[in-house]
Amino acid sequence: MSKVFPISKIIPKIIGYKLSRLNLIKPPMPLTVTYSITNVCQSRCKTCNLWELYQHKPNLRKKELTLDEIEKIFKSMGHIYFFNISGGEPYLREDIPEIVDLACKYLKPGVIHIPTNAISPELIEKQTKKILDVMKANKANIPLTIKPSFDGIGKEHDKIRGIKGNFKKLLETIKRLKALQKKYPNLDVGVGTVISVYNIDKIKEISDYAKKLNVDSYINEIAEQRSELFTLNRNITPSAKKYEKAINTFSKAIKKELKTKKRLTRITQAFRLVYYKIVVRILKEKRQVIPCYAGLTNAHINPYGEVWPCCVLGYEKPMGDLRKVNYNFKKIWNSKQANKVRKHIKQGKCYCPLANQAYGNILCSPSSMIKVIKNMFL
């Protein structure tokens, strides 16, 4: 557990985040960095409008950060613990292995995570193998978690994802990734579901099917209105009542199997069980039910070099543009604009059920961490 989740090093960070939130010290570097390496995506999901961006602005691809720019940014950041490579569809960026190489050299993360729409099984297998070889060459003996999206069974999945035949390719992708595990034991293969108004009534069915896939983990998160995904005016989030009913059944199933899971999955699921209950409260109470540390524990870098506190606020509350500060992440992290955004968050002017940020919030909440520990060991 110590390599994945180094308590002795993370606790001082948490103390630093708390002191920073009180304006007593400068903010430490984030624990988690999410880097959306591209906004390009073949999917046409009902819960995301990101794919439409390139229909209206096809030249945006040319504005994505180059490898040279990425190297300068990573050099300026130093060590982090969780590196999430996001999109769009991350595997559509041909140099994703080179990006991981730079992350291993400069960020030295404890976990690397990549989601995928699973539309291109052969490409995903090929690039994942390259990524694993790059990690091995860097002596980065850390988990690489790949999470194909799984929003329904058969045609229901294809309908929600907007691509005919996507479910068949999802199964093929899982098969190919599981085959890679024979040579690469640090590869963790799972599936993830976005719970929305389109599949909320079938979550138990989806969850039961996920068990049959024999993957390392199955997680889900709730669909939400995000600036990043251009869904601020989309009615995609299920009601609190429906979500609570679905997630209670799902959580009971997780608890029964928790002790049989691998170390990383057990830690993740222990956090998730707490997260699911927090989501229910957020949906009901419409407020930050525990303090949000977005822009402190977590940072998000978009494809064009803009730094965000999270992908929900995204374009609405940017912290700065890396290209305008000579790729110096720390200069943005300690800027007046960044502090202004943190003040907005601290005042509770926003609230959301973002799973990625929830981990950081839980870490900084003693009462929530007690629940995580109980989930893991009791």
Side-chain angles (χ1 to χ4, degrees), residues 27-298:
M29 286 293 99
L31 285 171
T32 299
V33 171
T34 298
Y35 173 27
S36 295
I37 61 177
T38 183
N39 278 337
V40 176
C41 189
Q42 319 99 307
S43 297
R44 300 292 184 265
C45 299
K46 290 186 175 183
T47 56
C48 174
N49 286 341
L50 190 60
W51 58 272
E52 291 184 342
L53 187 65
Y54 281 87
Q55 286 191 336
H56 302 296
K57 298 180 179 180
N59 290 328
L60 275 177
R61 192 77 197 263
K62 297 177 182 178
K63 296 183 180 181
E64 292 173 358
L65 292 168
T66 66
L67 283 176
D68 287 342
E69 291 177 307
I70 294 167
E71 182 171 19
K72 291 175 184 177
I73 293 166
F74 287 1
K75 270 186 178 181
S76 76
M77 295 177 69
H79 174 53
I80 63 168
Y81 290 98
F82 304 98
F83 183 50
N84 295 321
I85 300 176
S86 187
E89 168 52 36
Y91 283 96
L92 288 182
R93 179 140 179 177
E94 294 179 0
D95 56 1
I96 186 172
E98 287 78 10
I99 293 173
V100 172
D101 183 42
L102 293 173
C104 290
K105 287 178 179 176
Y106 300 112
L107 303 181
K108 301 187 184 303
V111 178
I112 298 175
H113 173 74
I114 309 174
T116 175
N117 59 25
I119 289 175
S120 304
E122 290 184 15
L123 175 66
I124 293 166
E125 178 189 25
K126 177 184 175 182
Q127 293 291 71
T128 299
K129 185 179 183 302
K130 285 184 179 180
I131 290 168
L132 288 161
D133 286 337
V134 161
M135 291 170 65
K136 186 176 181 180
N138 280 282
K139 297 181 179 179
N141 186 26
I142 60 173
L144 171 67
T145 63
I146 309 293
K147 287 285 189 298
S149 297
F150 172 43
D151 290 348
I153 301 170
K155 292 181 180 179
E156 288 297 320
H157 178 78
D158 296 352
K159 187 177 179 181
I160 292 172
R161 306 293 299 182
I163 298 293
K164 187 176 180 180
N166 195 164
F167 186 75
K168 183 178 180 180
K169 291 180 179 179
L170 164 65
L171 299 181
E172 178 66 19
T173 299
I174 293 170
K175 180 182 177 181
R176 288 172 180 264
L177 290 174
K178 285 172 66 177
L180 282 178
Q181 288 182 306
K182 296 175 183 178
K183 183 179 177 182
Y184 303 97
N186 61 317
L187 175 60
D188 184 286
V189 181
V191 289
T193 299
V194 175
I195 300 179
S196 68
V197 294
Y198 306 108
N199 61 9
I200 184 65
D201 295 322
K202 296 185 178 181
I203 292 304
K204 186 180 186 306
E205 180 183 342
I206 294 170
S207 177
D208 289 343
Y209 193 96
K211 294 177 186 177
K212 298 177 184 178
L213 295 174
N214 195 29
V215 291
D216 296 310
S217 63
Y218 169 61
I219 62 173
N220 58 55
E221 58 184 271
I222 194 165
E224 54 192 318
Q225 296 174 316
R226 295 187 192 178
S227 170
E228 177 204 23
L229 304 181
F230 303 99
T231 56
L232 292 178
N233 297 315
R234 294 287 298 274
N235 182 27
I236 56 178
T237 307
S239 68
K241 184 177 180 180
K242 280 195 169 186
Y243 178 81
E244 183 175 23
K245 181 180 178 181
I247 214 64
N248 283 344
T249 301
F250 177 66
S251 295
K252 288 178 182 177
I254 290 179
K255 288 180 180 179
K256 288 181 181 179
E257 302 173 357
L258 198 59
K259 292 183 179 180
T260 65
K261 296 296 183 180
K262 293 194 300 185
R263 179 179 59 187
L264 177 60
T265 300
R266 194 164 65 250
I267 295 170
T268 302
Q269 296 289 33
F271 272 85
R272 285 271 169 175
L273 287 169
V274 176
Y275 159 72
Y276 295 139
K277 290 186 177 180
I278 289 174
V279 173
V280 172
R281 289 189 59 195
I282 290 174
L283 291 176
K284 288 182 175 180
E285 301 173 30
K286 301 187 183 304
R287 67 179 182 89
Q288 292 179 20
V289 297
I290 61 174
C292 182
Y293 285 77
L296 284 169
T297 60
N298 295 47

Side-chain angles (χ1 to χ4, degrees), residues 21-32:
R21 204 166 187 267
L22 294 171
N23 298 318
L24 297 177
I25 64 170
K26 289 184 178 181
M29 286 293 99
L31 285 171
T32 299

